[in-house]
């Protein structure tokens, strides 16, 4: 089983600042990595797939990078609507399995 | 536009079987490009993949739940279903149905509480 580890668990950031979230895989997942944003009471929303491709309608302030086992989601200038929980998900061995990281909560500093 | 809607009881007693159905609209469940599946999220916790099914009936399950899970598909109704047996309080969660193409297209989710 591929284990996904996200850090930090909580990130305190002021509006307008940059946020950098990390996701590490226990073995290589190539670029088969997605990022989702989840707000309270809502289903997750796809932000990034293929490690670095923004999904339709996602603002340019969201960017993804990495390959293999180390990945990063960067929010260049945090807006009020960006405070949420972010999850990474690997799909390298889909459809046999899908695994998620434990999430990073981005909160207002 | 693709939409997925979960339906089923919101309260299940311990030791009983949780049953949910997902109705797909705006797209065909018989698409060769996708699997369909279930993901759950206990209150205040992270996401857990439960299992996936192809329109032909081929399934994959999370090993940690495999002994208790059955996912089935009804292409004539454009629906797929989840059964989770012998539930305990630890199975209390929001259950999402989803289209799985590597990345996930989510339903809105439904809360299922296990309690007597």
């Amino acid at each position: 089983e591929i284990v996904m580890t996200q850090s930090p668990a909580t990130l305190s950031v002021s509006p307008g600042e940059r946020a950098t979230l990390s996701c590490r895989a226990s073995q290589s997942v190539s670029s088969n990595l997605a990022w989702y944003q989840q707000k309270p009471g809502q289903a997750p929303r796809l932000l990034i797939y293929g490690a670095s491709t923004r999904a339709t309608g996602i603002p340019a302030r969201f960017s993804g990078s990495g390959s293999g086992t180390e990945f990063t989601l960067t929010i260049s200038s945090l807006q009020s609507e960006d405070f949420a929980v972010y999850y990474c998900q690997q799909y390298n061995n889909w459809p046999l399995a899908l695994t998620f990281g434990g999430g990073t909560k981005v909160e207002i500093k | 536009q693709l939409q997925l809607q979960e339906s089923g009881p919101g309260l299940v007693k311990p030791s009983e079987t949780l049953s949910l159905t997902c109705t797909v609209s705006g797209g065909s469940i018989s698409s060769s490009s996708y699997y369909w599946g279930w993901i759950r999220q206990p209150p205040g916790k992270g996401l857990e993949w439960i299992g996936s099914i192809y329109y032909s009936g081929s399934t994959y399950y999370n090993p940690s739940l495999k002994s208790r899970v059955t996912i089935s598909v009804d292409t004539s109704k454009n629906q797929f279903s989840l059964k989770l047996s012998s539930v305990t309080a630890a199975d209390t969660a929001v259950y999402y149905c989803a289209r799985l193409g590597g990345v996930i297209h989510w339903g809105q989710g439904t809360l299922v509480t296990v309690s007597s």
Side-chain angles (χ1 to χ4, degrees):
Chain A
E1 178 190 353
I2 300 175
V3 178
M4 306 301 293
T5 303
Q6 289 186 244
S7 61
T10 304
L11 187 61
S12 298
V13 185
S14 299
E17 290 188 341
R18 182 186 193 94
T20 302
L21 290 66
S22 296
C23 176
R24 174 176 293 176
S26 61
Q27 63 189 77
S28 176
V29 297
S30 186
S31 294
N32 297 309
L33 190 286
W35 290 93
Y36 299 86
Q37 176 194 68
Q38 187 177 36
K39 296 180 179 179
Q42 297 183 15
R45 176 176 72 142
L46 177 66
L47 298 175
I48 301 285
Y49 63 94
S52 62
T53 302
R54 277 190 301 277
T56 303
I58 301 304
R61 65 181 181 271
F62 290 92
S63 63
S65 63
S67 66
T69 62
E70 300 284 343
F71 301 90
T72 300
L73 174 70
T74 302
I75 312 171
S76 59
S77 177
L78 270 159
Q79 305 299 302
S80 58
E81 62 267 30
D82 301 334
F83 292 96
V85 180
Y86 293 82
Y87 292 95
C88 62
Q89 173 237 328
Q90 70 82 16
Y91 50 96
N92 192 59
N93 53 351
W94 173 84
L96 275 69
L98 296 172
T99 49
F100 297 91
T104 292
K105 181 180 181 180
V106 177
E107 64 176 24
I108 300 174
K109 186 174 182 180
Chain B
Q1 183 178 354
L2 183 73
Q3 291 189 320
L4 300 96
Q5 180 66 58
E6 304 88 353
S7 60
L11 181 64
V12 181
K13 290 182 169 56
S15 80
E16 296 190 343
T17 296
L18 179 160
S19 296
L20 295 173
T21 296
C22 182
T23 300
V24 179
S25 59
S28 172
I29 205 167
S30 299
S31 168
S32 60
S33 302
Y34 300 105
Y35 276 68
W36 306 86
W38 295 91
I39 295 161
R40 70 180 183 178
Q41 184 173 36
K45 297 188 178 181
L47 299 160
E48 180 180 38
W49 168 72
I50 299 170
S52 309
I53 190 165
Y54 198 54
Y55 74 92
S56 63
S58 175
T59 54
Y60 296 96
Y61 298 132
N62 187 323
S64 68
L65 297 168
K66 186 174 182 177
S67 64
R68 299 194 291 131
V69 173
T70 302
I71 297 177
S72 58
V73 64
D74 187 336
T75 55
S76 67
K77 295 181 179 179
N78 227 31
Q79 294 177 333
F80 60 103
S81 298
L82 168 71
K83 291 188 184 300
L84 180 65
S85 64
S86 304
V87 298
T88 69
D91 296 309
T92 294
V94 174
Y95 285 77
Y96 295 98
C97 66
R99 186 188 73 180
L100 307 174
V103 296
I104 301 165
H105 183 103
W106 304 78
Q108 66 181 29
T110 187
L111 175 64
V112 178
T113 301
V114 178
S115 175
S116 55

